């Protein structure tokens, strides 16, 4: 089993190091190969997704990814910015199904900005389509406005679009995920305004006929944003497009107390996947040794489960994480009164001790 390790920028290298440490502490040894990506890729070879990095990602059984991005690259042309690395990997490897679980650990209810009774026991799963939508739709760019009130003025434009097979495949993934959980699926769209969304909704309804055991409901994205803070526990699985999923998954993550706790998986149709924390590169705290490595460690657990078929090892890591929380270990983002405040490396050590 070969794992491509792509630490990236900001806190990426620090947190990935801890996840690698945890993987190396398991009984089974994996072949780990590291390569630069994002700003680090740009520094190494002039492109955020160097060819050798992409080749490694393609040849590996799974990819463990840190985070990309740093303000110092903001002035680069779009094609060279660090974000293009993750977008490129998702597209080149056809990682269309993004799983973003939002779980509120009992020990961390106090860390949420919402009242404890609203978030305690929260366990929702956002399934975000990752290969289409306005993120990748062509045409896009800058042009002279061809019509309307501002005809002739400069305008920026993007295209929201979804092809039927694209919606069908994410629908199946989401229904199957719901079957393994509470069997409730909420499809989030903006069908009251957007053609793409009405099309999405019609297909969701069609696919639902193959999953009579799953209860499908629909919600407009603005309402979903509101319900997520009002009554988040009413959700089980949420399926949505790339753009809405980007926004709602950050919102859902924050319900749990810290985005520093949440892993994610991006899978292709054969369950090969890229695993990364839901959070970003946090350049403001990079190198300080205070970042929370748990989201990345939990991403490694998801990798063992979904792509490497090592369910038992995945369980071991997840149990170890729960144990360190019970023992009171906390990084800066999740500090609570009377906790044992630790840095990135100590948190990794605590997980290994708990293993
Ligand atoms: C995410 C991030 C990315 C996205 C960025 C870094 C391109 O926000 O994974 O949610 O927008 O998908
Ligand atoms: Mg995002």
């Amino acid at each position: 089993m070969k794992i491509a390790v792509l630490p990236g920028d900001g806190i990426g290298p620090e947190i990935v190091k801890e996840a690698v440490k945890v993987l190396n502490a398991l009984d089974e040894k994996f072949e780990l190969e590291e390569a630069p990506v994002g700003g680090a890729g740009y520094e190494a070879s002039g492109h955020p997704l160097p060819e050798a990095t992409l080749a490694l990602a393609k040849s590996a059984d799974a990819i463990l990814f840190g985070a990309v991005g740093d303000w110092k690259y903001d002035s680069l042309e779009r094609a060279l910015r660090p974000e293009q690395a993750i977008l490129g990997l998702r597209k080149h490897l056809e990682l269309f199904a993004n799983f973003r679980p939002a779980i509120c650990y009992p020990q961390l209810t106090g860390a949420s900005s919402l009242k404890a009774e609203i978030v305690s026991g929260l366990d929702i799963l956002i399934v975000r389509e990752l290969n289409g939508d306005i993120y990748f739709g062509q045409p896009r760019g800058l042009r002279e406005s061809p019509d309307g009130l501002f005809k002739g003025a400069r305008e920026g434009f993007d295209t929201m679009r979804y092809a039927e097979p694209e919606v069908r495949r994410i629908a199946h993934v989401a229904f199957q995920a719901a079957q393994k959980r509470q069997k409730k699926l909420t499809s989030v769209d903006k069908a009251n305004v957007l053609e793409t969304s009405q099309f999405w909704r019609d297909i969701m309804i069609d696919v639902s006929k193959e999953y009579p055991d799953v209860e499908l409901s629909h919600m407009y994205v603005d309402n979903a944003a509101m319900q997520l803070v009002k009554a988040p526990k009413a959700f089980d699985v949420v399926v949505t497009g790339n753009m809405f999923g980007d926004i709602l998954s950050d919102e859902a993550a924050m319900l749990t107390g810290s985005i520093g706790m949440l892993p994610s998986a991006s899978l292709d149709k054969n369950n090969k996947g890229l695993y990364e924390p839901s959070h970003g590169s946090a350049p403001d705290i990079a190198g300080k040794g205070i970042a929370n490595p748990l989201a990345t460690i939990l991403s490694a657990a998801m990798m063992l489960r979904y792509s490497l078929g090592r369910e038992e090892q995945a369980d071991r890591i997840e149990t170890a994480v729960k144990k360190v929380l019970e023992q009171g270990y906390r990084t800066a983002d999740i500090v609570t009164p009377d906790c044992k405040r630790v840095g990135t490396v100590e948190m990794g050590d605590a997980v290994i001790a708990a293993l």
Side-chain angles (χ1 to χ4, degrees):
M1 290 284 177
K2 181 157 127 191
I3 303 170
V5 179
L6 314 181
D9 309 319
I11 58 171
E14 302 161 51
I15 53 178
V16 165
K17 202 169 164 196
E18 296 313 304
V20 164
K21 210 162 87 178
V22 171
L23 284 171
N24 283 332
L26 299 173
D27 312 319
E28 188 179 350
K29 297 296 170 235
F30 300 96
E31 186 190 336
L32 303 169
E33 196 175 327
E34 198 176 307
V37 76
Y42 176 75
E43 303 288 353
S45 62
H47 194 278
L49 183 53
E51 262 172 46
T53 303
L54 179 59
L56 170 66
K58 282 186 174 161
S59 71
D61 297 294
I63 302 151
L64 184 64
F65 189 93
V68 290
D70 196 316
W71 303 301
K72 67 179 179 222
Y73 303 111
D74 278 359
S75 55
L76 286 177
E77 60 172 286
R78 182 170 306 283
L80 296 179
R81 288 198 210 153
E83 290 78 6
Q84 294 306 312
I86 185 66
L87 295 174
L89 282 166
R90 289 171 183 170
K91 197 70 181 171
H92 285 297
L93 301 178
E94 254 191 282
L95 307 170
F96 68 92
N98 185 209
F99 288 76
R100 297 194 165 180
I103 295 171
C104 188
Y105 290 88
Q107 300 83 2
L108 299 183
T109 40
S112 173
S113 50
L114 294 191
K115 293 191 194 95
E117 68 260 31
I118 305 231
V119 294
S120 71
L122 179 78
D123 180 356
I124 62 185
L125 173 66
I126 297 197
V127 178
R128 171 188 176 197
E129 199 291 327
L130 215 50
N131 270 189
D133 206 351
I134 197 165
Y135 265 61
F136 293 99
Q138 295 290 344
R140 58 187 279 164
L142 296 177
R143 66 184 172 190
E144 196 173 283
S145 179
D147 48 28
L149 201 52
F150 300 103
K151 187 172 175 186
R154 282 196 324 130
E155 75 175 12
F157 69 107
D158 295 275
T159 306
M160 178 178 268
R161 53 190 280 191
Y162 262 122
E164 181 166 353
E166 226 174 353
V167 182
R168 282 193 183 277
R169 67 182 180 179
I170 194 70
H172 283 288
V173 166
F175 276 105
Q176 284 161 23
Q179 276 182 327
K180 294 190 195 121
R181 295 174 42 108
Q182 305 305 311
K183 300 187 170 53
K184 270 171 49 186
L185 178 63
T186 308
S187 170
V188 171
D189 62 36
K190 189 72 187 173
N192 49 346
V193 177
L194 303 172
E195 298 300 332
T196 320
S197 277
Q198 185 60 56
F199 185 62
W200 169 284
R201 187 177 282 216
D202 293 345
I203 293 169
M204 286 292 156
I205 292 170
D206 196 43
V207 174
S208 73
K209 292 173 194 147
E210 294 175 49
Y211 301 91
D213 53 331
V214 175
E215 181 198 321
L216 172 69
S217 60
H218 306 274
M219 200 178 274
Y220 298 139
V221 62
D222 47 351
N223 185 27
M226 180 168 72
Q227 297 304 327
L228 268 177
V229 285
K230 190 178 168 212
K233 283 190 262 183
F235 292 100
D236 176 24
V237 180
V238 171
V239 62
T240 189
N242 206 348
M243 181 79 255
F244 301 152
D246 178 44
I247 301 166
L248 294 182
S249 61
D250 266 28
E251 189 188 3
M254 239 8 253
L255 301 173
T256 67
S258 173
I259 198 168
M261 290 298 301
L262 299 180
S264 80
S266 305
L267 304 180
D268 76 0
K269 60 177 190 300
N270 302 316
N271 285 341
K272 171 169 169 170
L274 179 148
Y275 299 82
E276 57 174 328
S278 280
H279 61 73
S281 55
D284 53 330
I285 59 163
K288 295 189 178 159
I290 58 171
N292 186 348
L294 293 179
T296 317
I297 291 171
L298 290 167
S299 298
M302 278 182 109
M303 173 174 79
L304 290 163
R305 175 172 297 118
Y306 290 118
S307 289
L308 305 180
R310 300 292 189 273
E311 182 83 35
E312 217 174 290
Q313 307 290 349
D315 288 344
R316 272 188 75 199
I317 295 178
E318 286 165 359
T319 307
V321 168
K322 284 185 194 133
K323 198 160 165 197
V324 298
L325 292 175
E326 273 160 28
Q327 290 166 341
Y329 292 106
R330 303 280 187 274
T331 40
D333 54 315
I334 49 174
V335 278
T336 40
D338 337 303
C339 68
K340 296 179 198 142
R341 193 169 169 156
V342 291
T344 313
V345 175
E346 293 96 320
M347 188 59 116
D349 291 342
V351 172
I352 290 173
L355 272 179

